[in-house]
Amino acid sequence: SLKSCDNTQNASDTNLNRRTKSIYTPLELQFIEMKKQFKDAVLCVECGYKYRFFGEDAEIAAKELNIYCHLDHNFMTASIPSHRLFVHVRRLVAKGHKVVGVIKQMETAALKAAGENKSSVFSRKLTALYTKSTLIGEDILFKQIWLDDSVDVEEVTADVPDNYLLCVCESGENLRDRKKGDLVIGIMAIQPTTGEVVFDSFRDCASRSELESRVLRLQPVEIILPSKLSDQSEKLINSITSM
């Protein structure tokens, strides 16, 4: 019985907002767990016929999307209608927020009412993570245009031709070359909207002129780098991205 009492106490502590001393709602607890997994993403959570933002995400959405934000239970919250989701996702990414996540309900209200867990919170999971290079897809190009006649096609499809996602890797053949700055560099660029793939490997000197020419030609909107990158390559990429 003591162990059971301890478990109950631990559960109640987890469900308690230490700052306000109020109990988190099941939806808030669900959001907290998802936010732990995707700390760097602005999360849009499907709730019926709208998508809601919570906490700092709600404050970001209110500022960037010019929507109302208010306190609801333990979190600031803001919401957008479901049919405007992808227009707002695009705006958040365009404003410089690196990752925007979409969390959808995995149950309908009808199935929920007929099931055994009708009193529990809707099950939800992350279904998409949008970045600048992966922003345009079938869900945006078709669903949004067909469902909402007020959407400007150019607004949704702007910047499509140049949204390359570029991956860079390096390999130094020997210690002497690495000290001189000479490396073999591999690149792969993907154009998600068309499926185009560009790949190449080449030897580059300390000035990284070969890498620079390829990056400038492709003009990627997003670059994935290895955990260990040579100082010369890092300096070049920083100078290009800062421009």
Side-chain angles (χ1 to χ4, degrees), residues 203-214:
R203 180 176 290 278
D204 210 350
C205 60
S207 67
R208 295 295 185 267
S209 57
E210 292 293 328
L211 177 60
E212 181 180 18
S213 67
R214 286 160 174 79

Side-chain angles (χ1 to χ4, degrees), residues 21 56 74 105 116 127 138 175 188 192 201 211 227 232:
K21 305 300 181 183
E56 291 182 5
N74 294 285
Q105 291 179 181
E116 296 179 356
T127 58
E138 284 186 8
L175 184 60
M188 176 172 284
S201 64
L211 177 60
S227 56
Q232 295 91 337

Side-chain angles (χ1 to χ4, degrees), residues 198-241:
V198 178
F199 56 93
D200 192 9
S201 64
F202 49 91
R203 180 176 290 278
D204 210 350
C205 60
S207 67
R208 295 295 185 267
S209 57
E210 292 293 328
L211 177 60
E212 181 180 18
S213 67
R214 286 160 174 79
V215 173
L216 291 177
R217 185 171 72 249
L218 291 167
Q219 291 290 307
V221 295
E222 191 172 354
I223 303 176
I224 299 176
L225 301 174
S227 56
K228 292 183 179 179
L229 191 68
S230 64
D231 293 340
Q232 295 91 337
S233 297
E234 186 171 359
K235 184 177 179 181
L236 169 69
I237 290 173
N238 283 336
S239 66
I240 292 175
T241 55

